[in-house]
Amino acid sequence: MKIERDQVCPLLGTRANPDTHFAYPTLENRCYANQRVSPLTLDEQEQYCLSGNHRSCRFYLGHQARTAATQVAGERLEAASAPVQTRRPNPMWFLVAALGFVFLCGLLIALSGLPQNIALAITPAPTATPTRTPTRTNTTTPAPATGTPLPPTGTPPAATDTPGASATATPIIYIVQAGDNPGSIAAKFGITAQALMAANGITDPRTLRTGQRLIIPLPLPTPTPKR
């Protein structure tokens, strides 16, 4: 009679069927650990195969190692033969990277101009100095006054008939008016401009100014011939 138990080794079977076994030691039980029918002694069946100690059996441990190795090899072969799936990048990562790059560039630009902005903030702004607009004052230009020759302070002495004596004349003082020049002044008194300039030490007629006092040298009188 065949009985199934949970504590029995899963590699235990009979000569005719590897999936069934006898629940007691018998020569009909076989071990399928080495993928072949192996006879078992009655002591081995009682100590290992028909008890929970089958997990420490050398045949069971060898079978488990081979099974694990075969499974790992199959998984590796399956992984190697499977098509490689390319992972597409998420478009959000590109957007985040672009925003981060723009932010970093803006931060660098702001930091590069920060010392100059601080210096401009510390330096006081120059105050504009108001400029006065000159006011134009209308001045009336006095009309040129005609020079009035001053009368001589003295009368020239009369000519004498004494031989070797020369007549002397007292010069006239003239005040220069606007628009006068040596030529016009000399014409008023019947003398030359050279004589007028020589009498007053004038070398350049352009230096003549209004209000200047000039000496008007009178011409020498003509001597009276002796009778």
Side-chain angles (χ1 to χ4, degrees):
M1 181 174 142
K2 301 177 182 179
I3 302 173
E4 299 287 343
R5 294 195 307 172
D6 295 337
Q7 297 296 329
V8 179
C9 178
L11 302 177
L12 185 63
T14 63
R15 183 185 303 178
N17 189 357
D19 297 330
T20 62
H21 60 274
F22 292 95
Y24 53 89
T26 178
L27 297 178
E28 294 295 328
N29 290 332
R30 295 289 185 269
C31 179
Y32 288 89
N34 297 326
Q35 296 182 354
R36 65 184 178 84
V37 180
S38 300
L40 295 171
T41 62
L42 299 179
D43 293 337
E44 288 177 342
Q45 294 182 34
E46 185 176 0
Q47 183 179 359
Y48 295 106
C49 301
L50 298 174
S51 67
N53 294 331
H54 67 274
R55 295 181 179 86
S56 60
C57 177
R58 68 180 184 278
F59 300 109
Y60 178 81
L61 294 175
H63 180 270
Q64 292 294 103
R66 289 190 299 272
T67 303
T70 303
Q71 183 178 0
V72 171
E75 292 177 354
R76 291 180 178 177
L77 180 61
E78 183 180 359
S81 60
V84 180
Q85 296 181 357
T86 57
R87 186 178 180 182
R88 295 182 179 179
N90 192 350
M92 290 299 297
W93 288 107
F94 291 102
L95 180 60
V96 172
L99 292 177
F101 179 75
V102 172
F103 174 77
L104 182 60
C105 293
L107 182 61
L108 292 177
I109 294 174
L111 291 179
S112 62
L114 184 60
Q116 184 178 3
N117 294 335
I118 294 176
L120 293 176
I122 295 176
T123 306
T127 57
T129 304
T131 56
R132 293 184 177 181
T133 303
T135 57
R136 184 175 180 179
T137 305
N138 296 326
T139 56
T140 56
T141 304
T146 57
T148 303
L150 299 177
T153 55
T155 56
T160 60
D161 295 337
T162 305
S166 60
T168 59
T170 301
I172 300 173
I173 302 302
Y174 177 78
I175 299 175
V176 178
Q177 304 296 322
D180 287 345
N181 56 62
S184 61
I185 297 174
K188 294 178 181 179
F189 296 96
I191 60 176
T192 62
Q194 289 77 8
L196 177 65
M197 295 172 62
N200 293 273
I202 298 172
T203 59
D204 188 357
R206 293 173 296 179
T207 60
L208 197 67
R209 63 182 183 278
T210 304
Q212 183 177 354
R213 299 172 66 88
L214 298 179
I215 298 175
I216 306 300
L218 296 178
L220 294 177
T222 303
T224 306
K226 296 181 178 180
R227 292 180 183 180

